[in-house]
Amino acid sequence: MLEQQIDITDEAQETLSMHPQKFAMWLFITSIVMLFAAFTSAYIVRQAEGNWLYFELPNLFWTNSAILIISSATMHWAVLSARKDNLSMLKIAISITTVLGLTFLVMQVWAWQELVVNGVFFAGSESNPSGSFLYVITGMHGVHIVSGVVFLLIALYSVFTYKIHSKNMTRLEMCATFWHFLDILWLYLFGFLLLNH
Amino acid sequence: MATETNLTQGVSLDHHHDDHGHEHHEESFISKYIFSEDHKMIAKQFLITGIIWAFFGGAMSVIFRLQLGFPDMELSFLKPFLGHWLDSAGKLDPNYYLALVTMHGTIMVFFVLTAGLSGTFSNFLIPLQIGARDMASGFMNMLSYWFFFAASVVMFSSLFLETGPAMGGWVVYPPLSALPEAVPGSGAGMTYWLISMALFIISTLLGGINYITTVINMRTKGLSFSRLPLTIWAFFLTAIIGLLSFPVLFAAALLLIFDRSFGTSFYLSEIYMNGEALHNQGGSAILYQHLFWFLGHPEVYIVLLPALGITSEIIATNSRKPIFGYRAMIGSMIGIAILSFIVWAHHMFVTGMNPFLGSIFMFLTLIIAVPSAVKAFNYITTLWRGNIIFTPAMLFSIGLVSVFISGGVTGIILGNNALDIQLHDTYFVVAHFHIVMGSASFFGFMAGVYHWFPKMYGRMMDEKLGYIHFWLTFVGIYLVFFPMHYIGIAGFPRRYYSHTSFDAFSTFTDLNMFISAAAIVTFLGQAIFAFNFVWSIFRGRRAPENPWNSNTLEWTTPVSPGHGNWPGKIPHVYRWAYDYSKPNADKDGFGDFIPQNVPLSKTPHSNLEHENEIMNEQHVEDDLKINDHK
Ligand code: HEM
Ligand SMILES: [Cu+2]
C-alpha cells in the first residue's frame, strides 16, 4: 500500500507533444522554405554582380496570384464545411480548390509561353541568368504545386469516400496547411520578383 | 488507477505499438531484415552500409597515398582493382588520381560520417533513450535508409563508367564540374554524382524530419528537455542543422544540373575551351561556392555534433561522474549550431572577397572557438578525478577530445583571413579538417559502436582487440595528419597529383613517404576492428542487461529488445541522465549510479535540495488531484 502511494506521489510530468504527422509536415515546409530562400538569395547575389537583363514579368502572374488566393479561400471553406459535417458543401469546396490548382498550373505554362514570345529564355546563347532564374523559381514552385494537387486529389478521394468528417480532420487539415503554404510561397516569390526583376 | 493512463498519448503513432509491443508476431525475412520499419534494424543497416563504405573510402586513400609517397612506384599489382585507371607503365593516371580524391572525400563526408554516423546512432538511440516504441514514422525511416542505399548504388556504379567517376573534388566547384570537356569525370561521372547526392539529400531530410518529430513529440513522461541525455540533444540539433542546410545544397546542385545539361549560365561565363568561346554569359562561379558552403560548413558540424554527443555520454558513464556543465554543454551546442550558419565564407577568403567582409567572417568564425572550448573544457573536467574505466569506447572518446583540441587550434589559424591567404588549399587545411572533423567524428563513431554494440547485438565486443585497435588508430592518425601541417605551411598544394616537378618540395619526399607508410598501417589496423565486429556479432560473450552500469533508458530494455523496445510499460523518467556517484546513494541502496527511471521518492537520502522541492510540489499537486477524484 505504502509503495503504491509513493509511486503516485511522484508521478512523472507529461511531456509536451503535438500530432506527429502534422508536426512533420511543418518540418517539411521548413525545408521547402530553405530551398526557396537559397534560390532567392542566389538571385540577389547574382544580380549584384551585374550583366543582368531587365524585362517585364508576364501579366498572367497577376491572374494566377488571384487564382491561388481564391483557391486558398475555397480550401478554407472546405475545412469549415468539414468541421460542420456539411459534406455536400465540402465536396463542392474541395473540388473547386483542386480545379483551381490545376488551372494555376496550366496558366503558369501559358505565362512561360508569354515569356518566350517576349524573348526571355531559360537556356541557350540568348539567355541571361535573370531569365533562367525566373524559370527555375517559378518552375520549382510549380513542382511543389503539382505535389500539392496530388495531395488535394488524395483529399478529394477521401472526401468522396466519406473518410473525412468533423471527427477525422487530420488529412484535410494537413492538406489545407500545405496548400495555404504554397499560396503564401507564391505571393512571396511574386512579390520578390516584382521588386527585383 | 490514474497512473495507468500514461502510455497512450492520444494521437501518436506510438499508440499502435503500445498495444502490440509485447506480442511477437512472426515477421517474414524481408520485413524483418530488409524493408524493416524497426528503428533498431534500420540503425544496423545504416551502420553496416557505413562501415563498408568506410573501407572503400579508406582503400582509395591508401592508393592515392601510394602515389604521393612513392611517386615512382609500379602499381601493376593493383591492376585487378584499378584496371584502366593505371596506364601501361603501371602508374596511376592523373585523372583517376583526382577521381580517387573526389570519391574518397564524398564517401567519407556524406556516406560514412553523415549517413553512417547520424543514421546509425540517431536511429538507434533516439527511441531507446527517450522511451518511445519506435520513430514517429517507421515508414519514412525505412524510406530514408533505402534512399541512402539507392544513392550508394548510383555512386558506386559511377566507379565503373568508361570516363570515370566525378573528378572535381568533393566540393565539385564549377566550371570544372560543369563542363564535360574539362576533365573526363565531368561527363557521365558528374551526372551520377549529382543524382546520387540528390537521393542522399532526400534520405537525410526524411531521416531528419523523423528525428526531430520523434524527439519533440514522443518523449516518455518526465523526460523534459532539461533531462534529455546529451546524445539526444546532439542528434536533435544535428537534424535541425541538416533540415536547414541540405535544401540549399539541393538548390546548388539543381542549378548545376541546369548548367550542365540544359545550357543555362548560372555558374558559367566567358569561358574558352580549346580556343573556342562557349556561349555561356553572365554566370558566376562564386555563387556556387556561396551556396555550397552555406551547406558545407554546417555539414562539418552535422558530422561532428553526433560524435560529441556520444562522447559526452560515454565520458560521463565511464568517469562515474555527472557530466560537468550539463547546461553549458547544451548551450554551446546550440551556439555552435547557430554560428555554423554564419561563417561559411571562411572557405572563400581567397575568392576576391572584399577584405572588410572577410574580416567580419573572420570575427564570426573565431567566435565558434568559444563554445568549442567550453565543450573541450567540460570533457576534461568531467574526467578530472573521475573513477575512470578505460573501456575501448572510453578510449575512443578521450581520443576524440584530444583530436578535437589539436584540430580546433589550427582552425583558429585558418580562420584569420590574412593567414589563410598563405594556407588556403594547402596540406595545412587537409591536416586541419582530417584531425578535427575526420578523426574526431570517426573516433566518436567507433566509441559509439563499442559502447552500444551490446545493445545492438546482445553480445560484447572483444576488449583486447578493441585496445589494439584504439592505439593503432590513435597513434596512426597523428602520424598521418600531424606532419601534413609542415608540408602545408611550406605551401604544398592539396589535390596535386605529384610534387616531384617542384624543387621546393623535394625536402619533403621522406616525410611524404612516412605519411603514406603510416596511413597504410593505420588502414590495416582497421581490419582488427572489422574482424572484432563480425566475430562478436556471432561469437561474442553474451552481454548483460546493463554492461556499463549506465543511467539512460536503453539499458532498461531486455538484452535484445524486440519490436516496441520494452516488453511491458514504457519506463517514466524522474531525473537527469547523470546521477553517477551521487553522495549518499548507498544509503538508498544504490551503487555509483541511479538510473533515470528511479523515482525521487525511492532515493530520499541522496536527493538534492531542488529534487526534494520537485517531489514536494508534485506531492501537493497529486494530493489535490486525489481529493478531486474523491
Ligand atoms: C575553432 C573552430 C574552427 C575554425 C575557426 C575553423 C576554420 C576553418 C577555416 C578558416 C577553413 C578554411 C581553410 C581554407 O580552405 O583555406 C576550414 C576548413 C575546414 N574545416 Fe574548419 N574550423 C574549425 C573547426 C572545424 C570543425 C569542428 C570541423 C569539422 C567537424 C571543421 C571542418 C573543416 C573542413 C572539412 C574544412 C575543409 C573543407 C575543404 O576545403 O575541403 N572545422 N576550417
Ligand atoms: Cu567551415
Side-chain angles (χ1 to χ4, degrees):
Chain A
M1 187 60 220
L2 188 77
E3 195 67 83
Q4 256 179 2
Q5 202 109 45
I6 284 173
D7 259 0
I8 299 173
T9 50
D10 60 329
E11 188 40 59
Q13 296 276 303
E14 196 77 61
T15 53
L16 134 163
S17 78
M18 282 163 262
H19 190 293
Q21 283 172 337
K22 284 189 187 166
F23 189 80
M25 160 84 108
W26 280 107
L27 295 178
F28 181 57
I29 287 176
T30 312
S31 70
I32 300 176
V33 168
M34 287 310 293
L35 182 69
F36 283 93
F39 283 133
T40 47
S41 39
Y43 187 102
I44 294 174
V45 169
R46 175 57 197 80
Q47 191 182 33
E49 285 180 17
N51 187 0
W52 188 260
L53 179 75
Y54 289 88
F55 55 84
E56 288 300 311
L57 292 177
N59 281 326
L60 268 180
F61 279 0
W62 290 99
T63 328
N64 285 353
S65 307
I67 291 178
L68 267 198
I69 294 175
I70 297 171
S71 77
S72 255
T74 55
M75 185 79 237
H76 191 58
W77 176 29
V79 173
L80 291 182
S81 315
R83 284 211 184 108
K84 289 193 216 115
D85 274 330
N86 190 342
L87 295 191
S88 50
M89 205 72 107
L90 168 61
K91 281 182 191 167
I92 298 173
I94 190 101
S95 308
I96 295 179
T97 315
T98 314
V99 171
L100 286 174
L102 286 167
T103 317
F104 175 83
L105 276 176
V106 176
M107 304 267 283
Q108 284 295 82
V109 177
W110 288 353
W112 281 6
Q113 281 167 354
E114 195 181 320
L115 279 170
V116 173
V117 171
N118 290 345
V120 179
F121 300 107
F122 172 53
S125 50
E126 286 166 64
S127 72
N128 180 282
S130 66
S132 308
F133 264 118
L134 183 69
Y135 284 102
V136 169
I137 289 175
T138 53
M140 278 311 281
H141 178 261
V143 169
H144 286 90
I145 288 281
V146 170
S147 66
V149 169
V150 170
F151 203 166
L152 274 170
L153 288 172
I154 295 172
L156 188 86
Y157 176 78
S158 321
V159 167
F160 278 85
T161 49
Y162 300 102
K163 292 204 187 84
I164 289 181
H165 44 79
S166 62
K167 298 263 158 39
N168 195 0
M169 292 288 293
T170 311
R171 186 170 293 171
L172 190 68
E173 278 170 358
M174 283 171 65
C175 182
T177 310
F178 192 55
W179 194 254
H180 294 318
F181 163 70
L182 290 179
D183 183 12
I184 295 168
L185 179 64
W186 169 254
L187 293 180
Y188 160 69
L189 293 174
F190 186 37
F192 174 85
L193 290 170
L194 277 178
L195 291 176
N196 298 297
H197 70 93
Chain B
M1 215 165 84
T3 44
E4 287 296 350
T5 54
N6 55 56
L7 287 180
T8 39
Q9 301 210 350
V11 287
S12 66
L13 298 180
D14 175 74
H15 181 99
H16 162 80
H17 295 297
D18 268 321
D19 302 334
H20 302 286
H22 45 274
E23 284 170 25
H24 284 281
H25 21 195
E26 280 305 311
E27 283 175 291
S28 69
F29 179 82
I30 290 193
S31 69
K32 181 153 184 219
Y33 291 107
I34 301 183
F35 295 108
S36 171
E37 295 190 12
D38 180 3
H39 71 101
K40 299 184 291 298
M41 184 54 68
I42 296 174
K44 290 179 205 169
Q45 291 173 329
F46 270 108
L47 174 61
I48 290 176
T49 318
I51 291 179
I52 292 173
W53 269 124
F55 275 93
F56 273 108
M60 289 174 176
S61 71
V62 166
I63 296 169
F64 63 69
R65 260 332 302 184
L66 282 178
Q67 161 61 30
L68 286 171
F70 310 96
D72 303 321
M73 194 170 162
E74 249 249 64
L75 294 175
S76 321
F77 65 98
L78 289 171
K79 196 88 184 168
F81 300 108
L82 294 176
H84 71 281
W85 295 25
L86 296 179
D87 63 16
S88 49
K91 297 262 308 155
L92 188 62
D93 182 297
N95 282 323
Y96 287 101
Y97 171 86
L98 292 176
L100 285 169
V101 177
T102 305
M103 284 296 116
H104 165 77
T106 309
I107 289 169
M108 289 305 196
V109 172
F110 293 111
F111 290 1
V112 179
L113 294 179
T114 305
L117 180 62
S118 270
T120 304
F121 291 104
S122 299
N123 269 315
F124 193 74
L125 292 179
I126 289 178
L128 281 172
Q129 289 197 334
I130 67 169
R133 298 279 181 207
D134 205 322
M135 284 284 176
S137 165
F139 179 70
M140 261 167 69
N141 212 15
M142 175 193 81
L143 280 185
S144 158
Y145 174 74
W146 286 102
F147 269 102
F148 168 49
F149 188 82
S152 297
V153 170
V154 175
M155 195 64 84
F156 192 72
S157 35
S158 80
L159 296 174
F160 301 98
L161 291 169
E162 186 58 38
T163 47
M167 298 174 182
W170 76 281
V171 297
V172 298
Y173 283 172
L176 184 57
S177 61
L179 302 170
E181 307 87 350
V183 63
S186 288
M190 194 58 218
T191 307
Y192 276 51
W193 192 95
L194 286 166
I195 295 172
S196 172
M197 284 314 292
L199 294 168
F200 183 82
I201 293 170
I202 295 171
S203 156
T204 315
L205 291 178
L206 286 171
I209 288 178
N210 231 335
Y211 305 152
I212 301 173
T213 310
T214 310
V215 171
I216 291 199
N217 296 301
M218 299 178 67
R219 281 164 292 134
T220 183
K221 264 190 163 183
L223 189 55
S224 58
F225 267 93
S226 57
R227 284 176 180 166
L228 223 47
L230 289 171
T231 33
I232 303 299
W233 266 107
F235 301 147
F236 176 65
L237 291 169
T238 304
I240 293 178
I241 301 179
L243 189 76
L244 297 177
S245 63
F246 270 107
V248 179
L249 179 66
F250 193 80
L254 197 70
L255 298 184
L256 186 56
I257 290 173
F258 287 138
D259 271 7
R260 288 169 48 78
S261 312
F262 297 86
T264 55
S265 319
F266 291 109
Y267 304 135
L268 300 173
S269 190
E270 283 131 27
I271 294 174
Y272 284 82
M273 228 37 213
N274 304 325
E276 265 184 65
L278 301 184
H279 76 258
N280 305 83
Q281 280 292 326
S284 156
I286 306 283
L287 173 61
Y288 175 85
Q289 296 198 21
H290 278 298
L291 290 173
F292 180 86
W293 286 113
F294 188 84
L295 157 97
H297 188 83
E299 167 65 20
V300 305
Y301 286 98
I302 290 174
V303 164
L304 185 68
L305 281 181
L308 292 177
I310 288 170
T311 300
S312 310
E313 189 61 34
I314 295 175
I315 285 193
T317 305
N318 290 297
S319 305
R320 314 309 294 162
K321 271 181 66 185
I323 190 85
F324 185 89
Y326 172 75
R327 275 167 198 271
M329 287 300 229
I330 298 172
S332 47
M333 280 198 282
I334 294 175
I336 287 176
I338 294 170
L339 285 170
S340 73
F341 281 100
I342 46 175
V343 299
W344 77 90
H346 64 215
H347 296 273
M348 301 167 59
F349 284 145
V350 298
T351 54
M353 168 191 287
N354 179 334
F356 178 69
L357 193 60
S359 51
I360 293 177
F361 274 104
M362 170 182 96
F363 176 69
L364 293 169
T365 299
L366 296 187
I367 295 178
I368 291 206
V370 177
S372 308
V374 169
K375 293 199 72 86
F377 179 82
N378 287 358
Y379 288 132
I380 295 169
T381 35
T382 306
L383 288 165
W384 179 252
R385 304 179 115 185
N387 273 328
I388 300 183
I389 303 168
F390 290 104
T391 62
M394 181 65 162
L395 287 173
F396 272 103
S397 302
I398 299 174
L400 180 148
V401 177
S402 161
V403 288
F404 183 50
I405 295 172
S406 46
V409 167
T410 52
I412 297 175
I413 299 171
L414 288 171
N416 287 276
N417 56 348
L419 293 178
D420 191 52
I421 294 171
Q422 159 74 5
L423 295 171
H424 177 69
D425 253 346
T426 67
Y427 267 80
F428 193 86
V429 177
V430 178
H432 158 67
F433 74 77
H434 276 91
I435 293 180
V436 76
M437 173 170 89
S439 304
S441 307
F442 179 72
F443 276 40
F445 192 1
M446 286 300 118
V449 173
Y450 279 105
H451 194 76
W452 280 286
F453 189 89
K455 195 77 310 186
M456 289 181 174
Y457 295 99
R459 291 171 187 270
M460 308 294 285
M461 286 180 82
D462 187 83
E463 297 222 323
K464 292 230 173 53
L465 290 179
Y467 295 140
I468 302 174
H469 174 219
F470 168 75
W471 284 111
L472 264 179
T473 313
F474 184 72
V475 175
I477 59 114
Y478 268 116
L479 293 184
V480 172
F481 297 118
F482 216 81
M484 287 188 187
H485 292 116
Y486 299 104
I487 303 184
I489 292 170
F492 195 103
R494 63 194 281 210
R495 296 190 177 127
Y496 270 35
Y497 170 69
S498 153
H499 47 92
T500 41
S501 27
F502 308 98
D503 280 341
F505 300 133
S506 47
T507 46
F508 292 114
T509 310
D510 292 345
L511 200 51
N512 265 316
M513 238 191 285
F514 176 79
I515 293 177
S516 295
I520 293 168
V521 174
T522 314
F523 178 67
L524 292 179
Q526 306 312 308
I528 300 173
F529 168 76
F531 170 77
N532 194 354
F533 183 81
V534 176
W535 189 81
S536 304
I537 290 180
F538 300 104
R539 289 284 147 80
R541 190 161 51 82
R542 293 234 169 246
E545 231 163 63
N546 189 354
W548 321 117
N549 293 336
S550 187
N551 283 339
T552 35
L553 290 183
E554 74 271 29
W555 307 107
T556 62
T557 61
V559 175
S560 298
H563 206 165
N565 296 340
W566 285 268
K569 284 201 300 180
I570 294 184
H572 295 172
V573 165
Y574 303 92
R575 56 182 75 235
W576 72 337
Y578 301 101
D579 271 347
Y580 291 107
S581 305
K582 210 175 182 186
N584 297 327
D586 48 339
K587 291 191 193 142
D588 295 321
F590 286 90
D592 61 355
F593 70 109
I594 311 176
Q596 281 192 283
N597 59 335
V598 175
L600 294 173
S601 56
K602 295 242 169 74
T603 54
H605 300 281
S606 61
N607 284 349
L608 303 176
E609 194 92 352
H610 74 275
E611 286 168 333
N612 278 325
E613 268 166 37
I614 295 176
M615 207 170 61
N616 291 338
E617 263 168 40
Q618 271 164 12
H619 200 111
V620 176
E621 264 174 39
D622 285 320
D623 275 355
L624 289 176
K625 261 189 227 154
I626 289 166
N627 287 335
D628 276 354
H629 280 291
K630 275 183 192 157

